[in-house]
Amino acid sequence: MPDYPTDPDCLFCKIVAGEIPCHKLYEDDRVLSFLDIGPLSAGHALVIPKGHYETIDRVPAEDAAAMFRIVPALSRAIMRAAGASAWNLLQNNGEAAGQAVGHVHLHIIPRPAGSSRDAPIEGNGLPFNWPTGEIDHKKAGGLAETIRQYV
Ligand code: AMP
Ligand code: ZN
């Protein structure tokens, strides 16, 4: 069992510790998955590392790998149970990005039949037709070069 940091005031750390109940879907020594208490659709699930890390950019690579390792099997199981054939993987980092719980998590959100890029799920939100911009190729080369140096 790896050693991981915890925060006694964190909601998801309390779920990991069994102090707050959850509808568990999967658990291993690094990762826990459970149903979201405020689902966008039936089967909406969260995948969290057992360690307390606020955002994905702070997660050790082994724990990030462990989170994503289970996503294919878990998403197949969720879609099978929910009768969905499409799903979104959503992940918010920081308050400005819409993160409400400061313990990193992946959202697996099945899209039920009838849902589409433009249509909300059963009136619960998540339309997906976000307004996109256009890449500025003159600036993009320099930006990509800078990012490559930072990785
Ligand atoms: P985010 O906005 O990405 O931080 O998402 C936080 C998610 O945690 C929301 O979808 C909440 O519905 C969910 N959530 C909050 N409390 C609980 C809980 N006790 N059990 C399961 N999910 C929760
Ligand atoms: Zn935590």
Side-chain angles (χ1 to χ4, degrees):
M1 174 83 83
D3 251 0
Y4 46 77
T6 58
D7 175 348
D9 298 323
C10 168
L11 177 64
F12 286 177
C13 283
K14 287 179 184 167
I15 290 178
V16 170
E19 292 162 21
I20 291 178
C22 71
H23 294 285
K24 192 193 294 184
L25 302 178
Y26 173 81
E27 181 175 19
D28 63 33
D29 58 350
R30 289 179 187 270
V31 172
L32 180 67
S33 173
F34 50 91
L35 291 177
D36 193 298
I37 208 170
L40 284 159
S41 62
H44 180 169
L46 302 177
V47 180
I48 69 170
K50 288 188 169 175
H52 180 85
Y53 308 102
E54 208 160 304
T55 50
I56 200 108
D57 45 284
R58 297 186 185 180
V59 177
E62 292 75 15
D63 296 87
M67 288 169 76
F68 282 96
R69 193 189 64 81
I70 193 58
V71 167
L74 196 53
S75 58
R76 281 196 300 272
I78 290 169
M79 285 206 293
R80 192 172 166 190
S85 56
W87 60 286
N88 294 106
L89 182 63
L90 185 71
Q91 209 274 309
N92 305 323
N93 297 287
E95 220 177 306
Q99 185 178 11
V101 177
H103 181 132
V104 66
H105 47 278
L106 311 176
H107 293 260
I108 293 177
I109 306 168
R111 308 286 303 215
S115 128
S116 73
R117 192 176 155 88
D118 304 309
I121 300 168
E122 296 159 1
N124 282 344
L126 201 64
F128 214 66
N129 205 358
W130 58 33
T132 55
E134 214 170 297
I135 194 165
D136 179 341
H137 287 290
K138 282 197 212 94
K139 291 183 180 164
L143 179 60
E145 175 59 28
T146 304
I147 294 170
R148 281 196 295 273
Q149 285 170 11
Y150 288 164
V151 173

